[in-house]
Amino acid sequence: MYVKSFGCQMNVYDSQRMADTLAPEGYLEAATAEDADLIILNTCHIREKAAEKVYSELGRVRRLKEAAAADGRNVLIAVAGCVAQAQGDEIIRRAPAVDLVVGSQNYHRLPDLIARVRRDGKAVDTEFPLDDKFDHLAIPSLASTRARGVTAFVTVQEGCDKFCTFCVVPYTRGAETSRPVDKILTEVERLAEAGVREITLIGQNVNAYHGEGPDGRPWSLARLLGLIAQLRGIERLRYTTSHPLDMADDLIAAHRDLPQLMPQLHLPVQSGSDRILAAMNRRHTRADYVKVVARLRQARADLALTSDFIVGFPGETEEDFAATLSLVGEIGYSGAFSFKYSPRPGTPGADMDDQVDEAAKSDRLHRLQAAIDRSQAAFNHSCLGRTFSVLFERPGRHGGQLVGRSPYRQPVQIEAPPALIGEIAPVTITEVASNSLFGALALAQEPALAGAGA
Ligand code: SAM
Ligand code: SF4
C-alpha cells in the first residue's frame, strides 16, 4: 500500500491512520507507488491548484496500474480526503481508472470498502457517517510509530463552523467536532511510549476545541494542553491552526504557564484590511488581531508568530493590500504562507462581484512574499549567537549532520552523532542561511525569555 498526502497536516495525520487501519488486513507500507498494490491519494480541495494536482497524479498512477496489469498484477486506486468529499463519483467519471472514492470522515471503513471493490467493482462512500471514525481506527503498532519519528500530530478537533467566505473546509470536513479528552490522552500516551517527544495538536479550528473531559464537561484546549503537559516523555507541545476569535484567556495564559508549550503560534489573519476581513466573514478587525497578539506577547515575550494571507480576495483594492503589507511590518512574523485567492465552487466568495484579475493577484503575491521574506530573515538573524534547546529529529543531508527544530520551529542543522535523535539539547546558533539555522552543541541553555506576567 502507498498513501500519498496532499495539503495540510490533518491529511498527513489521516494518511497515517489509513495505513494503521489497513495494516491489520495485511497491507504493508510500500516505499514507492510502483511497488504498491493499493495506491491511495489523500487529497486537498482548499485551492483549485491543489484539487487539479490530484488529476495529474491520477494520470501517473493510471499508467502504473496499466503497467502492473500487463504483468498480471491488479492495482487498486483510491481517492480519499477533501476532493473525494467534494466531488464524489464525479472523480470516477473524470478518471475511470479510480476504483474507490472515500470521503474525509469515512476512511475507517477502508477495509470493508476495499473488499467491496474487489468483489463488486467500484465504490464511492462520501456520506457523513453517524458513527465517529476515531472509534473505529486501528491503533498503530509501536514499530510504525517509532518509524515515523520523534514528533507527531494528533487530531483533536475537526470541521469548522466559521464559514469564512473563501473557504471550503466547512463543506468538506463538516461541522465542528472535538474528540473526548480520554481518547486523545490514550493516543498521546502511546506515542510517548514509542519515543515521541513533541506533539502538535491539530484541528481546522483547533482553539475552538471543546471535547468532553473526564468529568463529563467540555474542556478547553488550554485544559487539554495542561493535562498532556504532565505526561512523562512529552517535552514539547504545539497546536495548530487557530482562529484569532477563539484565542481564549486560559489559552493565552497557557503560553505563560506551560513550559512545554513552545513559543511559536500559527495565527492566520488573511488580510490587514478591515473591509476585506468583513467581506471574508472573519468576524474580527485588524485591531482585534493586533490586540490578541499583544496579549499573547505579554504572556510570552519571545512568542514567534506565523500567519496565512490571501491576496486578491474579491473587492481587494491597492489600499486594502497596502494594509496587509503594513500589518506584516507591524507584527514582525517569523514566517507566513501567502496565497492568491482561488474561487471555490459553492463558497460565497466565488459568487462575489469585483473578482480581482490574475495579474494583480500575482503582483500582490510577489510583493507580499518579499515582505514576509524580509520579516522572516530579520527574525532568523535575531537568533544568531543565541543558545536554545533543539529537538533532534533526523539525520541531515550530509554525513555527520543532524536536523532538529528550535522552540520557534525553525530547522536547525548541526554536526552531531545520530544517538542524539530524539534528544533535546542546547545549541548555539552560529550561522543563518536561507531559512535554516546552523549551530553547535552548547554546554547550557540561556535562560528563557519570560513574559511580563511570568
Ligand atoms: N482554519 C485555518 C484558519 O482559520 O485560518 C486555515 C484553514 S486552510 C486549510 C489554510 C489556509 O488556506 C487558510 O488560512 C487560507 O489562507 C488559505 N485558503 C483557504 N481557502 C482559500 C482560497 N479559496 N483561496 C486561497 N487561499 C485559501
Ligand atoms: Fe476555513 Fe479556517 Fe475560516 Fe474555518 S476558520 S472557514 S477552516 S479559513
Side-chain angles (χ1 to χ4, degrees), residues 111-448:
D112 285 349
L113 288 166
I114 290 168
R116 216 164 90 196
V117 169
R118 293 208 190 277
R119 201 179 51 234
D120 309 328
K122 300 188 188 294
V124 176
D125 185 359
T126 55
E127 291 294 311
F128 282 114
L130 290 174
D131 52 343
D132 180 357
K133 70 174 178 240
F134 289 108
D135 290 339
H136 302 274
L137 293 171
I139 296 166
S141 68
L142 279 180
S144 64
T145 304
R146 277 195 190 111
R148 286 171 189 162
V150 297
T151 63
F153 297 128
V154 174
T155 293
V156 299
Q157 178 278 337
E158 253 196 296
C160 184
D161 296 339
K162 292 278 190 296
F163 289 93
C164 299
T165 52
F166 51 81
C167 184
V168 287
V169 167
Y171 311 96
T172 54
R173 289 277 175 171
E176 199 176 298
T177 54
S178 295
R179 293 177 71 195
V181 170
D182 58 346
K183 300 264 170 64
I184 297 166
L185 211 60
T186 307
E187 194 170 326
V188 176
E189 278 167 350
R190 198 169 161 88
L191 290 167
E193 199 187 327
V196 168
R197 292 286 161 263
E198 177 180 302
I199 299 282
T200 304
L201 303 183
I202 56 173
Q204 268 95 18
N205 193 176
V206 73
N207 56 343
Y209 177 82
H210 58 276
E212 188 186 323
D215 53 4
R217 304 166 72 93
W219 276 34
S220 67
L221 184 68
R223 227 171 145 189
L224 176 66
L225 285 163
L227 188 67
I228 297 176
Q230 291 167 25
L231 293 181
R232 199 136 56 98
I234 300 302
E235 310 279 352
R236 290 179 156 202
L237 289 173
R238 304 179 189 275
Y239 59 93
T240 197
T241 293
S242 296
H243 192 289
L245 211 59
D246 293 317
M247 220 59 226
D249 292 350
D250 63 345
L251 190 54
I252 294 177
H255 282 276
R256 178 193 63 209
D257 299 334
L258 286 183
Q260 292 89 344
L261 190 54
M262 290 292 100
Q264 185 267 329
L265 179 65
H266 189 60
L267 193 61
V269 65
Q270 316 296 354
S271 168
S273 151
D274 282 343
R275 229 172 54 78
I276 296 300
L277 286 171
M280 287 175 164
N281 190 33
R282 290 291 289 180
R283 307 192 224 172
H284 64 79
T285 61
R286 173 189 176 123
D288 296 331
Y289 181 82
V290 170
K291 205 157 118 195
V292 168
V293 169
R295 291 182 59 214
L296 279 159
R297 283 184 167 155
Q298 212 182 352
R300 179 81 205 218
D302 65 335
L303 188 76
L305 278 147
T306 55
S307 178
D308 295 338
F309 291 95
I310 295 178
V311 297
F313 186 76
E316 186 188 73
T317 60
E318 256 308 302
E319 199 183 339
D320 295 315
F321 176 66
T324 298
L325 282 181
S326 84
L327 187 64
V328 172
E330 185 172 345
I331 300 291
Y333 290 102
S334 64
F337 298 108
S338 47
F339 311 101
K340 287 194 243 182
Y341 171 65
S342 167
R344 307 309 291 129
T347 61
D351 295 328
M352 286 181 185
D353 297 334
D354 305 333
Q355 298 285 330
V356 174
D357 70 61
E358 202 48 37
K361 282 186 198 172
S362 299
D363 172 59
R364 287 176 196 170
L365 185 68
H366 188 71
R367 286 189 280 153
L368 178 58
Q369 281 175 346
I372 292 168
D373 287 350
R374 279 195 300 276
S375 188
Q376 182 168 12
F379 180 80
N380 285 341
H381 277 96
S382 75
C383 295
L384 257 180
R386 285 191 58 193
T387 300
F388 38 58
S389 64
V390 169
L391 168 60
F392 297 104
E393 294 181 7
R394 56 188 164 84
R397 236 180 278 154
H398 308 296
Q401 212 177 40
L402 293 187
V403 183
R405 291 228 181 228
S406 74
Y408 312 108
R409 253 194 123 254
Q410 302 138 297
V412 180
Q413 317 207 21
I414 73 162
E415 305 284 324
L420 275 185
I421 291 176
E423 300 292 325
I424 295 174
V427 168
T428 302
I429 303 306
T430 52
E431 193 188 331
V432 176
S434 172
N435 289 330
S436 268
L437 307 184
F438 295 82
L441 280 176
L443 291 178
Q445 198 180 319
E446 69 188 33

